[in-house]
Structures are given as structure tokens and as C-alpha cells.
Amino acid sequence: MMHNSADSAFRQTLLDHLPDDVLRDAEPRYSEEPRGRWQGAIGLVAAPRSTDQVAQLVALAADARVPVVPYGGGTGLVGGQIMPEGPAPLVISLERMNSIRAVYPEENVLICDAGAILAQVQQAAAAAGRLFPLSLAAQGTARIGGNLATNAGGTGVLRYGNARDLCLGLEAVLPDGQIWHGLKRLRKDNTGYDLRHLLIGSEGTLGIITAASLKLSPQPAHMGTALFVVPSPQAALSLLALARARLGEMVSAFELISGQGLAFLSETLPDVRQPFDVAPAWSVLIDVGLVQGLDPQGALEELFTSALSEGLVEDGIVAQSHQQAADFWAVRERIPEANKRIGSISSHDVSLPLGALPAFIDRGRALVEGLGDFRINCFGHVGDGNLHYNVFPAQGGRVSNHQNQRAEVQRRVHDLVHDMGGSVSAEHGIGRLKVDDLERYSDPAKLAAMRAIKTALDPLGIMNPGAVLNTAQMAVKQT
């Protein structure tokens, strides 16, 4: 599909139909991504103030065959928010559309613009005595539209689900400029195909989310946090089973932390207070949110005692204050920053069946170490089967010396994930980074259906071309 650049002539077309202040300078942030792997091209940047303006922009882009790249907070880690190849696109940023439209505490519903920052949504929910449980490291800059477009995960998935599970309705602009008014507060709406779930996770390739109706939860009456040392990942899984048997759905988070991650923190971020004098090889961070009348510290202490008797834990600390709990979480949340400072050869966001996690960790290490001397930092949301499996040079080594091995490391890890019934993209999406992986590992029938949906909704191929689906393969299928 031939596209045109968002050039000076197209700029004039936009100015003929929209207020002058909709366009803004093409600052570097609109063409960069956090890991620095790609530099995107930009023709024009538009920052609309309303859904009607988004619709006008998309309709004009369709008429001119100009590609459109939706832009949220720019925090995506797979290159979905930039377009490094092809005609310079129109970047549509939702940053001005950031209002909390309404809150319905008794219904546990909040409606907001897609440009609302995740932390802003959390605060609005808290002000109404409710909880919006989506929580991730970039919540101070990530925007709800992007969270939904990538079906973001985070630390609360074990109890509350992914972004998909927290959305009741959407408002969106489709590739021809039509507005879909699906901003409902219903928990039951069995009227045919669910466009909401089609757009969630589509990464801007099927339309632009402009507003969302979000599902809130009651705030837990009491929160508790603990850090337990476990002898192995298998023991961590058994501990999770024990915790859920005792506390059910009140276990909010269950994070696996490796000793390598703690070593990276000591090396690059010594100001982060670590709770153990000697870093354990494996530990788990547990959050529980209990109902009125239950004592979280007592529940965690009883859990530790039972786990100790079964050989599932070796040491542990139950947080005695909000500050201590925050310190525990700071350890977990700053591991990605330490990883970035060390510099990875290859990073992987994968998920597996829970029972396969220990074997994957062992087999993955053997496969990677068969290629050379590497350090592996394996950590993440083990409660829902999502691991961040990152490979680094040996102590004193340089990433630049292993560039020729990146593809093979990734292939070995992803082949193993696929063979064990897992997914090579757990919560970060496909973007542009994993387009080839999607082609390699996806079921052919699924890929065919995805291409058919893309062609039906976006026949001109203007919506975020190159993201999720292989553009060349799309062209072959259409000829």
C-alpha cells in the first residue's frame, strides 16, 4: 500500500480544517523510545483537544494516504509508538485529552480521556474511595490509551487482571475517521462482536482509543507486604499455592527477585536500601490486601511459619510500616533501571504456564550459557507466569562485544518459551520489535484472521503501519 509523507502540503490541509494550535513542534520525544533502539521519522505532530478533532485528523490522513502513529506517554518498550521506516507519518498525541470525565463510586466505574496519565487515574479513584489497580513502573508518565492499546500488565495482574480486564467500554476513532461510541458502563453487553476487546492490544493498528470506561475496585481495608527468601523458583511456586490457599484472591502481588538483580542494584544504585545483608539467590515480594477485621501482618507471619515448616522459605521480613513496605517495593521497581545501566544483550518479556516456570529457568540458563559467559537476571510477576528474562555480558564485559550474538540469544530463549507452551510477549506488546516473532510463533489461522481484520478495518493501511503485523506480508496477502 503506497503512502504519502505528512509534508508541507498536508500541513496546509490540516490548517485549513483545524485550529492552528492543534499542530505542534516535532520534538525529539515523539521520535524516540526508552531503550534507544530506533529513531522514528516525523512529518507532523498533532495534539488534538477532542475526539472530534482526532476524527478530523484521521479522516484527512485517510484522504491523503498519510500514515498515522498514535502517541500516548511514549513509554512502550517494543517500538510501537515510533515509525522508523517509510513516509514520514502524522503523529497524533493524546496528551491534551487528559480529563477525568466522571466517577461513579457506587458502580465502581471511572470514565476518562485516553490521554489521562495512569497515576492521575489512580489518584482520582482514590479520591472517590476506590482503587484502580493497574500499577506499573511508568505510571507517572504512561497514559491510559497506551495502556489499553498494549494491554499493559504490571504488578497487580495476579488479583485484578491485565488492562483488558479493567475496561468496560471504549470510545475510539476508526481508520476512516468514524467515531465508535462504545463508552458504556455495562458489565454485560452481549450484542455481537466485542470491538472493545479487538481494539485493546491492537497497538494503534485498528484505530485510536480516545476515552475509556474503567473498572474500579474497593480499596482493601488493610495492606501487608513481606519479602521472603526462597531456596528455588520451584519453592516460590509452592509458596504461591500456599498463600492462595490461605488468603485466596487477597494476594495482590507475588514477585520473583533473583540475586543477580540485587547484585545489579548494588553495583549501579547503591542508594537503594536492600533488606538483607547478604543478597539471597531467590526471594519473593508479596503484597496482600485484606478485608476489614483481618490483620495483614499476622496473616503474613502465619504464612511464613507454615512455609518454613514445609521448607519453602529460609528467611523473611514482614513490613512493619508503610515506609518499610515502600522500601521493599523500591527494590523490585528499580531493578529495570539497574538493568538499563548495566546494559543488556537481549531482553525478553515472556509468559509460561506456572508449572513450567522452574524448568524454563533451568533450561534457559543452560541454553544461554552454551553461547558464552553471560549473566542472567530473571525476575518478574511470577504470580501470573510473566518473567522478564534478561541476558547481560559477564562482569567487566561490554554489550558491544556481543552484538553478533543477540539474535541467537533471543532465538534460543523464544524457541524454548514456545516449545514449553508460553508466549514471547507477555505484557509489552508486539510493536515493531517482535513482528518477526509473531510471524514465527503464531498459529497460522490466527495470523490469517488478524490480517483479515486489519484489511477490513484499515484497507488503506494507514494506522501505525509496520507495528504488530509484517507490512510486507500484508502486501503479499493482498495481491
Side-chain angles (χ1 to χ4, degrees):
M1 188 69 64
M2 295 297 294
H3 294 142
N4 301 311
S5 292
D7 56 15
S8 57
F10 184 63
R11 175 188 177 89
Q12 188 57 54
T13 298
L14 296 185
L15 293 176
D16 289 343
H17 292 83
L18 292 150
D20 294 354
D21 68 350
V22 167
L23 295 180
R24 56 176 44 196
D25 294 337
E27 300 172 24
R29 64 190 174 101
Y30 296 113
S31 61
E32 298 172 347
E33 50 85 34
R35 290 178 175 169
R37 295 191 176 182
W38 297 287
Q39 184 74 25
I42 297 179
L44 298 170
V45 175
R49 296 183 182 276
S50 68
T51 300
D52 285 340
Q53 288 185 351
V54 176
Q56 285 182 281
L57 287 163
V58 173
L60 292 170
D63 288 343
R65 304 298 193 269
V66 168
V68 173
V69 176
Y71 188 89
T75 60
L77 297 175
V78 291
Q81 71 272 44
I82 62 171
M83 186 175 159
E85 298 177 349
L90 169 65
V91 175
I92 299 182
S93 170
L94 278 295
E95 61 198 275
R96 283 176 168 168
M97 296 173 58
N98 56 15
S99 298
I100 305 296
R101 296 190 185 182
V103 182
Y104 302 88
E106 293 185 354
E107 296 182 18
N108 284 316
V109 175
L110 180 148
I111 297 176
C112 66
D113 287 341
I117 291 173
L118 174 54
Q120 175 190 359
V121 175
Q122 294 169 340
Q123 292 161 8
R130 296 294 184 267
L131 173 70
F132 183 63
L134 184 63
S135 179
L136 38 90
Q139 60 196 31
T141 50
R143 299 180 187 275
I144 286 296
N147 294 149
L148 292 168
T150 58
N151 189 28
T155 59
V157 173
L158 175 63
R159 181 170 184 174
Y160 298 102
N162 286 346
R164 178 185 306 280
D165 302 300
L166 301 174
C167 180
L168 297 172
L170 292 177
E171 174 188 84
V173 174
L174 301 179
D176 61 358
Q178 287 191 85
I179 300 172
W180 172 48
H181 300 282
L183 203 60
K184 296 183 178 180
R185 312 198 306 269
L186 303 177
R187 283 168 168 76
K188 289 185 176 181
D189 182 8
N190 201 5
T191 52
Y193 303 147
D194 196 330
L195 297 185
R196 167 190 49 151
H197 283 309
L198 190 60
L199 287 169
I200 294 172
S202 67
E203 302 186 49
T205 61
L206 301 178
I208 300 179
I209 295 170
T210 55
S213 176
L214 303 174
K215 187 189 300 182
L216 306 181
S217 294
Q219 290 184 341
H222 305 290
M223 295 294 298
T225 303
L227 197 58
F228 291 168
V229 176
V230 294
S232 66
Q234 180 60 61
L237 276 188
S238 298
L239 176 61
L240 172 63
L242 179 63
R244 300 196 79 176
R246 284 178 163 269
L247 298 169
E249 296 304 313
M250 291 185 285
V251 181
S252 302
F254 195 93
E255 299 284 307
L256 183 69
I257 300 173
S258 75
Q260 187 63 75
L262 299 178
F264 283 170
L265 281 175
S266 297
E267 183 177 342
T268 64
L269 298 166
D271 59 307
V272 176
R273 183 185 307 170
Q274 296 197 33
F276 298 108
D277 293 334
V278 177
W282 297 102
S283 56
V284 293
L285 178 61
I286 307 173
D287 247 9
V288 297
L290 306 188
V291 297
Q292 193 70 39
L294 296 181
D295 172 24
Q297 291 182 355
L300 287 168
E301 289 167 359
E302 290 177 7
L303 174 63
F304 178 82
T305 300
S306 296
L308 185 65
S309 68
E310 296 183 26
L312 303 180
V313 298
E314 297 173 337
D315 197 359
I317 307 173
V318 176
Q320 301 299 306
S321 66
H322 291 302
Q323 183 58 55
Q324 193 173 26
D327 289 344
F328 289 177
W329 272 103
V331 170
R332 165 61 183 87
E333 290 174 345
R334 299 196 70 182
I335 287 175
E337 182 182 350
N339 284 349
K340 187 174 182 179
R341 294 191 182 202
I342 295 291
S344 71
I345 297 166
S346 185
S347 299
H348 313 92
D349 161 47
V350 301
S351 64
L352 293 115
L354 287 181
L357 287 172
F360 166 78
I361 292 171
D362 289 341
R363 291 174 62 185
R365 178 173 293 279
L367 286 173
V368 171
E369 290 180 346
L371 293 172
D373 187 9
F374 297 113
R375 291 177 291 177
I376 298 172
N377 185 13
C378 175
F379 69 103
H381 323 304
V382 69
D384 55 54
N386 179 191
L387 289 177
H388 300 296
Y389 192 89
N390 302 336
V391 180
F392 301 82
Q395 184 76 35
R398 300 174 63 86
V399 173
S400 58
N401 295 335
H402 299 279
Q403 293 295 338
N404 63 330
Q405 293 180 292
R406 172 176 287 166
E408 182 59 24
V409 169
Q410 179 176 305
R411 172 65 66 86
R412 290 194 178 196
V413 173
H414 285 176
D415 279 357
L416 178 60
V417 169
H418 180 68
D419 290 345
M420 298 183 74
S423 169
V424 299
S425 180
E427 64 177 355
H428 293 165
I430 297 297
R432 289 169 174 82
L433 177 64
K434 297 184 178 181
V435 167
D436 291 341
D437 287 328
L438 185 67
E439 292 284 333
R440 177 176 174 80
Y441 299 112
S442 284
D443 180 86
K446 174 183 176 178
L447 274 176
M450 289 177 64
R451 293 189 186 107
I453 291 168
K454 171 70 171 173
T455 301
L457 291 182
D458 184 21
L460 301 176
I462 65 167
M463 297 305 302
N464 211 4
V468 183
L469 289 169
N470 185 304
T471 305
Q473 289 292 329
M474 289 290 296
V476 168
K477 296 296 180 182
Q478 290 172 357
T479 56

